[in-house]
């Protein structure tokens, strides 16, 4: 018991020391990230789930397997009814991510200074994290999930008793899982590269490997018990199923291929793709040089250098790669946001050399283009919001008119979707990933179109959103270039010309 108390005290002292020494770095990061993300903050977009939460003010993240998000939200708001506090929620998000960044520097034992803000900066506006930063209601809890996973990795470096280290890591990893499940991959990437770092430079590896394995398995077991007690929504039930053992290997390969294909399709021929590829190549080359100069036995280190990047990408995919019905969204790849920063700080002894200046220059380029991409993302969000709101304003008036003229309407259905804003068509050809980040939410495939009608119309709130069974539609009651409205069998059917199923989402 005394060892555990001592371990808690060491961890608390370390974290306090980190924040006190690096608060300037944190302020620089939070300020710069907030400015970079301001175009999105001023776009007026309610990101997917935020639409309904802005109307009904509910938490209910436990139905997605995230009970700790509910607990923290209720402690923060002193209520089970959170409300939209943007941009405060986003500033809180960036603050926790900034603390995670300075912890990463400490994990790899690098010199701590405000200059490190340059190398931490890509984390906060990385394409892998920009989606979770977009959620007004969820973003603070996502960020704390990243932070707890990062703290779990930090524990490995504090020299604590083996069992105490495992207990503390299980606690923090379980917290990250209960906040947002994919954040466990942040812990895995940090641990993998820490093991790799010690493998090349020397140091205790066996204890670190055993502790990482034991704490990961232990935390997953704890989370499985917690998950079994939660009332999961259909979405969570649908996406939690793992492949059967006999299909696991083939399923893993199929999902890994899909994962790599998504990344390549979304990013090839973009500046960020080539900059990130350069960082990966420099990491491999620099480690090869280090092995050649400093390692007596070279075969095993050379193999480690070759396989470390693929292992990291598998860790980014995480549990998704073993699911029968994975979620192919960037929010589940959140661990990818730390990869460039971790690769930089894990490089052994090159930061004051010419090689260090080269990779520092490339990291600055990544900062610049990440900043440009974040600003572009905000512009795209604003353009799509303006386009959808233009259509929505007319649609609400027409639907309310139909309801006023037709008594007994009991249900509403939406077929097809609003088109992409014409202003964005060419831009999406240059940056295909923006289409994934900026989905059309007014469509019949999800409930969000109906929710947006409720957002503006009190009359729609009194009727149900139900898939129509009408086969032969009567002539439309209202026809516009954007949509047609039909009234049949006590239901209203809104049909958009664009009947694509938005397969990319």
């Amino acid at each position: 018991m005394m060892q555990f108390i001592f371990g808690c005290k060491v961890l608390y002292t370390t974290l306090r020391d980190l924040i006190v020494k690096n608060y300037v770095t944190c302020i620089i990061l939070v300020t710069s990230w907030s400015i970079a993300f301001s175009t999105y903050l001023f776009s007026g977009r309610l990101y997917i789930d935020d639409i309904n939460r802005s109307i009904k003010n509910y938490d209910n993240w436990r139905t997605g397997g995230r009970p700790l998000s509910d607990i923290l939200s209720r402690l923060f708001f002193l209520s089970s009814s959170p409300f939209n506090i943007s941009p405060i929620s986003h500033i809180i998000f960036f603050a926790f991510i900034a603390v995670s960044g300075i912890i990463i520097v400490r994990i790899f034992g690098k010199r701590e200074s405000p200059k490190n803000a340059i190398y931490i900066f890509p984390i906060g506006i990385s394409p892998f994290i920009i989606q979770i930063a977009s959620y007004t209601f969820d973003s603070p809890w996502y960020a704390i999930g990243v932070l707890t996973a990062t703290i779990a990795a930090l524990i490995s470096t504090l020299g604590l008793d083996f069992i105490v280290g495992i207990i503390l890591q299980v606690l923090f990893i379980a917290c990250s899982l209960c906040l947002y499940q994919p954040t466990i991959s942040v812990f895995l990437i940090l641990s993998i590269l820490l093991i790799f770092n010690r493998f090349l430079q020397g140091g205790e590896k066996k204890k670190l490997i055993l502790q990482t394995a034991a704490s990961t398995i232990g935390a997953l077991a704890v989370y499985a018990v917690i998950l079994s007690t939660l009332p999961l929504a259909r979405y969570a039930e649908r996406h939690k199923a793992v492949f059967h053992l006999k299909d696991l290997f083939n399923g893993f390969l199929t999902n890994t291929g899909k994962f790599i294909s998504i990344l390549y399709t979304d990013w090839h021929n973009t500046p960020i793709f080539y900059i990130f590829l350069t960082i990966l190549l420099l990491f491999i080359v620099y480690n090869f040089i280090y092995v050649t100069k400093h390692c007596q036995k070279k075969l095993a280190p050379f193999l480690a250098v070759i396989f470390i990047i693929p292992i990291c990408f598998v860790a980014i995919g995480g549990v998704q790669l073993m699911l029968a019905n994975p979620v192919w969204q960037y929010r589940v790849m959140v661990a990818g946001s730390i990869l460039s920063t971790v690769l930089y700080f894990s490089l052994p002894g090159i930061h004051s050399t010419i090689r260090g200046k080269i990779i520092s220059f490339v990291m600055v380029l990544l900062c610049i283009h990440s900043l440009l991409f974040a600003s572009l993302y905000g512009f795209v969000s604003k353009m799509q919001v303006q386009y959808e709101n233009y259509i929505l304003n007319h649609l609400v008036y027409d639907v309310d008119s139909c309801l006023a003229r037709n008594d007994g309407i009991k249900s509403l259905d939406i077929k097809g979707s609003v088109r992409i804003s014409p202003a964005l068509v060419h831009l999406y050809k240059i940056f295909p990933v923006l289409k994934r980040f900026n989905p059309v939410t007014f469509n019949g495939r999800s409930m969000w179109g109906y929710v947006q009608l409720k957002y503006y119309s009190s009359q729609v709130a009194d009727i149900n959103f139900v898939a129509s069974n009408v086969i032969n539609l009567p002539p439309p009651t209202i026809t516009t270039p954007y949509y047609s409205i039909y009234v049949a069998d006590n239901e209203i059917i809104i049909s958009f010309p664009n009947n694509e199923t938005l397969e990319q989402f």
Side-chain angles (χ1 to χ4, degrees):
M1 185 64 179
M2 292 303 296
Q3 286 277 10
F4 179 75
I5 294 172
F6 174 76
C8 292
K9 184 178 179 181
V10 170
L11 178 59
Y12 168 76
T13 304
T14 302
L15 292 173
R16 184 188 62 189
D17 176 65
L18 262 169
I19 294 171
V20 169
K21 283 187 175 180
N22 296 279
Y23 74 91
V24 173
T25 305
C26 290
I27 291 171
I28 292 170
L29 287 168
V30 173
T31 303
S32 57
W33 285 334
S34 299
I35 293 171
F37 208 59
S38 61
T39 54
Y40 176 82
L41 297 179
F42 294 127
S43 71
R45 185 177 182 95
L46 293 172
Y47 201 76
I48 310 178
D49 294 34
D50 288 345
I51 299 169
N52 209 25
R53 283 199 169 94
S54 293
I55 300 173
K56 295 187 175 179
N57 300 100
Y58 62 92
D59 44 34
N60 216 28
W61 288 292
R62 61 189 175 279
T63 61
R66 298 162 54 199
L68 192 52
S69 294
D70 278 355
I71 294 170
L72 292 180
S73 176
R74 294 181 183 194
L75 287 173
F76 183 78
F77 288 101
L78 299 179
S79 168
S80 60
S81 300
F83 46 88
N84 190 329
I85 58 169
S86 178
I88 294 173
S89 55
H90 298 93
I91 293 171
I92 294 171
F93 171 86
F94 289 131
F96 284 121
I97 297 299
V99 176
S100 301
I102 62 174
I103 291 174
I104 289 172
V105 180
R106 178 67 63 90
I107 286 173
F108 291 97
K110 303 304 181 184
R111 191 167 70 89
E112 296 167 17
S113 75
K115 190 178 81 168
N116 288 331
I118 297 170
Y119 311 112
I120 300 171
F121 182 81
I123 297 177
I125 53 172
S126 162
F128 289 99
I129 210 170
I130 210 169
Q131 190 177 41
I132 66 174
S134 301
Y135 287 92
T136 295
F137 289 84
D138 302 53
S139 56
W141 325 131
Y142 284 139
I144 298 174
V146 172
L147 177 60
T148 52
T150 308
I151 292 172
L154 174 67
I155 291 168
S156 298
T157 68
L158 299 181
L160 302 178
D161 175 77
F162 182 71
I163 300 299
V164 171
I166 290 175
I167 293 171
L168 285 173
Q169 283 188 319
V170 167
L171 175 63
F172 279 95
I173 298 169
C175 284
S176 75
L177 288 165
C178 289
L179 286 160
Y180 189 50
Q181 300 90 333
T183 54
I184 189 176
S185 293
V186 172
F187 167 75
L188 293 177
I189 283 185
L190 288 169
S191 298
I192 288 166
L193 281 163
L194 188 58
I195 292 167
F196 171 77
N197 197 260
R198 290 189 181 180
F199 185 73
L200 294 192
Q201 298 184 66
E204 178 58 51
K205 300 179 289 292
K206 185 177 180 181
K207 178 184 174 182
L208 179 57
I209 293 170
L210 290 175
Q211 187 171 312
T212 300
S215 57
T216 302
I217 294 168
L220 288 171
V222 170
Y223 180 67
V225 173
I226 295 171
L227 193 64
S228 67
T229 67
L230 300 176
L232 297 182
R234 281 186 299 174
Y235 179 86
E237 288 285 1
R238 186 167 70 249
H239 291 292
K240 77 171 186 176
V242 178
F243 286 114
H244 294 297
L245 191 59
K246 63 183 179 65
D247 301 321
L248 185 59
F249 182 71
N250 287 335
F252 173 80
L253 291 180
T254 300
N255 283 347
T256 302
K258 174 72 172 177
F259 169 56
I260 299 300
S261 174
I262 287 172
L263 293 180
Y264 180 77
T265 302
D266 283 351
W267 292 103
H268 76 285
N269 293 330
T270 65
I272 289 179
F273 174 82
Y274 293 113
I275 292 169
F276 194 75
L277 190 62
T278 302
I279 292 172
L280 296 182
L281 291 173
L282 287 175
F283 176 82
I284 293 170
V285 170
Y286 288 179
N287 277 298
F288 271 137
I289 293 172
Y290 182 86
V291 170
T292 302
K293 289 184 175 180
H294 298 93
C295 297
Q296 292 182 344
K297 296 180 179 178
K298 294 181 170 48
L299 179 59
F302 275 139
L303 291 175
V305 173
I306 291 170
F307 287 107
I308 189 63
I309 297 299
I311 291 171
C312 285
F313 273 92
V314 169
I316 291 171
V319 178
Q320 293 296 317
L321 303 180
M322 294 183 285
L323 296 183
N325 189 20
V327 178
W328 296 120
Q329 292 281 4
Y330 277 80
R331 63 177 180 266
V332 303
M333 309 174 200
V334 60
S337 63
I338 69 168
L339 186 56
S340 60
T341 298
V342 177
L343 291 179
Y344 175 81
F345 284 115
S346 68
L347 281 169
I350 59 98
H351 300 103
S352 60
T353 65
I354 294 297
R355 296 198 302 274
K357 288 181 172 60
I358 292 171
I359 196 167
S360 294
F361 174 73
V362 178
M363 289 292 289
V364 170
L365 287 180
L366 182 61
C367 290
I368 293 169
H369 282 274
S370 296
L371 172 62
L372 296 177
F373 181 81
S375 298
L376 180 61
Y377 169 64
F379 166 77
V380 165
S381 297
K382 181 179 180 180
M383 295 301 292
Q384 188 63 33
V385 165
Q386 289 178 344
Y387 182 72
E388 290 188 34
N389 282 346
Y390 172 80
I391 295 171
L392 183 60
N393 289 335
H394 290 81
L395 181 59
V396 168
Y397 176 82
D398 289 338
V399 169
D400 282 351
S401 299
C402 288
L403 289 170
R405 293 197 303 265
N406 297 274
D407 294 330
I409 298 294
K410 297 179 180 178
S411 64
L412 178 145
D413 187 22
I414 300 171
K415 296 185 181 297
S417 73
V418 172
R419 289 190 174 99
I420 294 165
S421 169
L424 301 178
V425 171
H426 181 69
L427 194 56
Y428 282 173
K429 292 177 181 177
I430 303 172
F431 289 97
V433 71
L434 286 171
K435 198 173 183 180
R436 192 182 300 277
F437 285 155
N438 190 43
V440 172
T441 52
F442 204 105
N443 67 80
R445 203 196 71 168
S446 71
M447 65 178 288
W448 304 123
Y450 169 67
V451 170
Q452 287 180 81
L453 284 175
K454 287 169 62 178
Y455 199 89
Y456 293 99
S457 170
S458 58
Q459 295 185 62
V460 170
D462 298 327
I463 61 178
N464 298 317
F465 180 51
V466 180
S468 173
N469 293 318
V470 176
I471 298 175
N472 297 314
L473 290 173
T477 303
I478 296 173
T479 301
T480 75
Y482 304 103
Y483 56 81
S484 297
I485 299 177
Y486 302 85
V487 178
D489 297 339
N490 294 326
E491 63 182 331
I492 288 179
I493 301 166
I494 301 168
S495 178
F496 290 98
N498 181 14
N499 285 304
E500 296 173 2
T501 58
L502 305 180
E503 292 177 0
Q504 67 272 26
F505 306 122

